[in-house]
Amino acid sequence: MEKIIALVGNPNCGKTTLFNRLTGSSARVGNWPGVTIEKRSGYYRGIISIVDLPGIYALSSFSPEEKVAFDYITAKKADAVINIVDATCMERSLYLTTQLLEMDIPVIVAVNFMDEAKRRGIKIDISALAEKLGIEVVPLSAVKDKNFDTLINAALKMNKPIFAPVRKYESYQKSALERYNLIEQKFMPHIIVPPKISVTSVFDKIALNKFFALPIFAVIMLFVFYIVFGSVGNILKTAARFLMSVLSNGAENMLIKLGLKSTDFLYSLLLDGVFGGVGEVLCFLPQILLLFLLLSLIEASGYMARAAFLTDGVLRRFSLTGKSVVPLLMGFGCSVPAIMSSRIIENPSQRRMTALLIPFMPCSAKLPVFVLLSSAVMGEKYWLAVAFMYLLGIASALFTGGTVKRTLLKGNNSTFLTELPDYRLPTLRNIAATLKEKSAHFVSKAGTVILLGTFFVFVLRETGLLNFIGGLLSPIFLPLGFGTAELSVSAISGFIAKEMVVSTLAMLSGDEISGDIFTVASMLSFLTYCLISPPCMASCAALIGEIKSAKLSFGVLIYYLTFSWLVSFIVYRTALIVI
Amino acid sequence: MRLNDVKPGEKCVIKSVKTHNTFGKRLCDLGFVEGTGVTVLAVAPLGDPIEFYLRGYRITLRKNEAALVEVVPDERERIWKR
């Protein structure tokens, strides 16, 4: 029978990094507690099953992702447990270790971040610790180590531990005290921590400074925005455009050589549909990758936890918590993983609230819609419209959160118990893995969902059904300033995937999207509608999965539809007056 | 004295956790037990949450959460300062 080894440890101790190294996977990692929210498994050398679990501080569970780990460990499904401990905070890490030792399953301890501990002058006597714990202890650097055979073999050879259970009292406090006393007396003498340890890094002295902290947060966000939509992003976009036009011209020449005429079905399907529609979407790949690159740098550095710490005071006023910042910022990338990462929030109502607000975020799939239409209408100054969309997305989320707080969710009993991890340099391997995964996801989405959707819309156009559907929808959108059949259908096609708005519009309006179909006001109103509603199929599915209530999901969908209409209406009418 | 009364840069020692719900249990698991020394590191710009240092790591709590932990000033620290 195949052997199963489970990776167990405190949040942010490097379990998933080790998992990726052991199994050759590229599961999401980040430098903040709670990145892993689900159990996942892979194979080491193709034979030994490795299970990665969400981080836990103790064998008790308070949030859903902790329950995943707790249930798995207590069900004793694993043949052995590798307990990963953080060398820089041994005392707290050993609390879980002593609980695991009482579990009657083979356990070994892997001490991660050994190099970091050494740098800080922390000395760990591995062999003495192993003797006191009565189990194998292996030093580890999950990032740098090349061979993990010693670790795996040690885990497989391990017998069940012999460990006298720590005395339990009626009072939880007393039991915890007893356990910490044991750790202090028995294990800590073998770990030398320098007395004068500088705990706050230079970065934090600035990043968490009373006066500079929030401005610095704003500057970082603006910098991301500037890189993606200004300088670098523009160059990448122009290059991608050029490449696509070369490809498109080549394809056109080939089709003409094959004897096809511009009125033929196939000719128009390939040029209008594939190159005009899907190609238009693909042009945004470099810019979207740039956005993901910057987001992953923020995640890997450890700043994410600081952002949560800084914004907690503000976000609490909007029925959210500082921890909501993590899913919300991830929502700038893609709603689906962002919605799932809302699980790091313990309080169920705040968790739901955060998940519900994520579709308001201007995700990377909406980026092509914003950029393309605003530059068609406004030319050079397009970034003004894009910036407006980003602010409007955030404002809509906060408005909704604030309104709900005042009406539905009274009282606030959430907690803000989180760790601020040490700053770390992102590893090249992780960044490369993220970019590879995002490109593969984007290209496959363009090649499947968007391509099929484009075919579907193409057929609708050819058969004349499009005008019929558009005619039915257009009265709804007439007050918003985009009541034509094409625009109505384009707006609705965003449900399939947000990029579809671009490909549909590109296909319906020939090869170039010209600014003539819009005024500035109607363009802003159209973008607003795409920003807020309706969320794409994938994020709807993720949302329903996360809030687990059909009634609430339905209500939320109705809210998205009405709210987006109202906001677009307000934007349109205001723009008509102002501009 | 409660943990939220301690000023940034000051140290104190935990006496007890004044709640027995799941949150209180979580605090115990994290090492907030009798006799543990805690240093207040930083306060977020709006005065809440607060960052603490204990048992070799850093953790953040909201003001009202810190108010659930009863502490006494660190005597050793005071003697040392004198």
Side-chain angles (χ1 to χ4, degrees):
Chain A
M1 225 175 82
E2 67 167 37
K3 294 279 185 191
I4 304 173
I5 296 179
L7 306 180
V8 178
N10 289 173
N12 209 33
C13 73
K15 293 174 296 296
T16 303
T17 304
L18 179 66
F19 174 81
N20 284 346
R21 297 297 312 278
L22 287 174
T23 61
S25 325
S26 55
R28 188 187 196 101
V29 290
N31 186 13
W32 38 275
V35 183
T36 306
I37 41 183
E38 276 172 332
K39 178 187 86 135
R40 65 166 79 83
S41 47
Y43 283 94
Y44 178 67
R45 296 192 184 272
I47 37 172
I48 294 148
S49 176
I50 307 285
V51 176
D52 182 25
L53 296 169
I56 46 171
Y57 290 113
L59 279 184
S60 42
S61 59
F62 302 118
S63 69
E65 100 261 13
E66 284 177 345
K67 198 171 157 21
V68 173
F70 179 75
D71 289 348
Y72 189 86
I73 300 163
T74 47
K76 297 190 183 170
K77 282 182 197 150
D79 294 292
V81 165
I82 296 181
N83 173 213
I84 300 156
V85 298
D86 182 343
T88 62
C89 67
M90 289 298 286
E91 203 173 339
R92 192 199 64 206
S93 305
L94 286 170
Y95 186 84
L96 175 66
T97 309
T98 57
Q99 289 187 326
L100 288 171
L101 285 174
E102 292 167 3
M103 279 293 298
D104 201 36
I105 23 170
V107 184
I108 69 158
V109 165
V111 189
N112 198 15
F113 301 123
M114 281 299 277
D115 35 357
E116 173 65 33
K118 204 178 269 171
R119 207 146 27 104
R120 286 199 222 165
I122 299 171
K123 292 193 183 81
I124 301 170
D125 187 341
I126 297 279
S127 54
L129 198 61
E131 193 190 312
K132 284 283 152 69
L133 285 165
I135 54 170
E136 195 83 34
V137 178
V138 184
L140 172 79
S141 171
V143 173
K144 285 183 198 144
D145 286 355
K146 294 212 164 60
N147 193 326
F148 296 97
D149 283 344
T150 336
L151 178 74
I152 298 296
N153 287 335
L156 290 176
K157 268 189 230 138
M158 203 67 215
N159 294 319
K160 284 177 185 174
I162 306 158
F163 184 79
V166 179
R167 198 169 154 197
K168 289 224 167 43
Y169 294 90
E170 190 97 341
S171 131
Y172 199 92
Q173 291 192 18
K174 228 172 159 189
S175 310
L177 177 63
E178 183 81 16
R179 198 174 287 278
Y180 268 108
N181 282 343
L182 174 91
I183 294 166
E184 269 174 39
Q185 286 153 18
K186 210 168 162 190
F187 309 125
M188 289 317 279
H190 306 292
I191 297 155
I192 301 165
V193 183
K196 278 269 170 191
I197 192 162
S198 88
V199 282
T200 308
S201 71
V202 191
F203 288 121
D204 269 349
K205 287 212 170 101
I206 308 163
L208 298 183
N209 179 286
K210 217 171 168 180
F211 305 104
F212 301 139
L214 288 176
I216 286 174
F217 180 60
V219 166
I220 292 177
M221 289 298 119
L222 283 175
F223 179 73
V224 170
F225 186 85
Y226 172 74
I227 294 281
V228 174
F229 295 101
S231 55
V232 187
N234 269 338
I235 298 169
L236 289 177
K237 191 179 68 191
T238 317
R241 267 281 149 68
F242 177 73
L243 204 67
M244 194 50 77
S245 73
V246 171
L247 282 176
S248 168
N249 285 339
E252 192 173 1
N253 288 337
M254 224 168 73
L255 289 177
I256 291 169
K257 265 189 199 151
L258 287 173
L260 287 169
K261 282 185 285 298
S262 58
T263 45
D264 285 349
F265 180 81
L266 190 68
Y267 181 95
S268 131
L269 175 70
L270 281 175
L271 281 185
D272 293 357
V274 177
F275 279 99
V278 181
E280 191 68 70
V281 173
L282 274 176
C283 281
F284 284 90
L285 176 64
Q287 215 170 354
I288 284 169
L289 282 185
L290 188 63
L291 176 69
F292 276 113
L293 171 72
L294 296 175
L295 285 178
S296 73
L297 288 181
I298 294 178
E299 273 185 56
S301 66
Y303 188 73
M304 207 63 135
R306 272 83 185 170
F309 179 68
L310 295 176
T311 51
D312 183 59
V314 180
L315 289 180
R316 254 196 295 169
R317 283 160 218 199
F318 299 97
S319 66
L320 299 170
T321 130
K323 285 188 191 173
S324 308
V325 148
V326 179
L328 288 174
L329 283 183
M330 280 168 72
F332 283 0
C334 176
S335 304
V336 177
I339 288 170
M340 301 208 317
S341 77
S342 63
R343 284 181 212 166
I344 58 167
I345 299 159
E346 302 90 356
N347 178 299
S349 61
Q350 286 183 332
R351 184 165 60 236
R352 275 182 174 177
M353 200 62 229
T354 308
L356 296 182
L357 297 184
I358 288 166
F360 291 129
M361 291 295 116
C363 73
S364 66
K366 295 170 189 168
L367 182 152
V369 188
F370 298 159
V371 172
L372 205 69
L373 299 188
S374 59
S375 44
V377 176
M378 296 169 73
E380 284 286 288
K381 281 189 186 153
Y382 80 96
W383 62 271
L384 278 170
V386 179
F388 176 67
M389 285 304 133
Y390 270 72
L391 293 177
L392 191 67
I394 296 165
S396 303
L398 292 183
F399 172 82
T400 305
T403 317
V404 171
K405 186 182 181 182
R406 243 151 270 141
T407 51
L408 297 174
L409 289 172
K410 286 199 181 116
N412 191 335
N413 53 357
S414 75
T415 65
F416 193 74
L417 199 134
T418 187
E419 270 183 87
L420 297 187
D422 295 311
Y423 286 105
R424 279 184 200 124
L425 275 178
T427 62
L428 262 175
R429 189 188 301 124
N430 285 341
I431 292 173
T434 309
L435 293 187
K436 203 178 125 200
E437 192 227 312
K438 296 297 170 197
S439 338
H441 175 242
F442 187 78
V443 172
S444 73
K445 188 176 169 192
T448 52
V449 177
I450 298 171
L451 188 65
L452 282 176
T454 310
F455 278 161
F456 181 66
V457 179
F458 183 81
V459 172
L460 285 185
R461 183 182 77 169
E462 294 298 298
T463 52
L465 268 172
L466 186 113
N467 278 327
F468 175 71
I469 298 171
L472 287 180
L473 290 171
S474 56
I476 305 173
F477 296 118
L478 206 57
L480 309 183
F482 53 94
T484 66
E486 285 88 2
L487 291 178
S488 308
V489 172
S490 304
I492 291 296
S493 70
F495 179 68
I496 302 173
K498 285 287 169 180
E499 298 95 331
M500 272 297 295
V501 178
V502 166
S503 65
T504 307
L505 207 56
M507 186 178 69
L508 294 183
S509 59
D511 43 26
E512 270 296 292
I513 294 180
S514 70
D516 306 342
I517 44 173
F518 284 114
T519 60
V520 174
S522 68
M523 182 269 294
L524 287 177
S525 149
F526 185 80
L527 293 191
T528 307
Y529 192 79
C530 293
L531 168 74
I532 303 175
S533 167
C536 69
M537 284 189 304
S539 53
C540 278
L543 208 53
I544 293 169
E546 222 48 53
I547 58 182
K548 293 188 185 82
S549 149
K551 225 164 100 187
L552 185 62
S553 308
F554 185 71
V556 167
L557 193 65
I558 300 289
Y559 176 78
Y560 287 144
L561 290 171
T562 37
F563 185 70
S564 58
W565 193 92
L566 282 173
V567 178
S568 304
F569 183 77
I570 295 166
V571 166
Y572 181 56
R573 293 291 146 181
T574 320
L576 278 183
I577 299 163
V578 176
I579 301 165
Chain B
M1 193 161 116
R2 297 299 170 95
L3 189 53
N4 60 319
D5 301 322
V6 186
K7 303 220 155 38
E10 285 182 8
K11 288 182 185 175
C12 60
V13 176
I14 293 174
K15 247 182 101 186
S16 68
V17 175
K18 290 287 165 204
T19 173
H20 301 282
N21 58 14
T22 50
F23 180 72
K25 287 177 182 167
R26 163 58 63 83
L27 284 181
C28 296
D29 288 337
L30 286 166
F32 285 82
V33 290
E34 196 187 328
T36 308
V38 181
T39 313
V40 180
L41 290 181
V43 178
L46 292 150
D48 200 9
I50 309 168
E51 189 195 5
F52 300 100
Y53 177 76
L54 78 157
R55 295 189 184 272
Y57 74 99
R58 302 156 64 182
I59 192 133
T60 63
L61 291 178
R62 284 189 183 146
K63 243 185 195 166
N64 59 336
E65 294 157 6
L68 298 169
V69 183
E70 195 179 358
V71 295
V72 287
D74 192 335
E75 289 301 329
R76 285 167 300 174
E77 188 74 3
R78 206 185 285 167
I79 294 161
W80 182 74
K81 264 185 187 162
R82 226 184 273 161

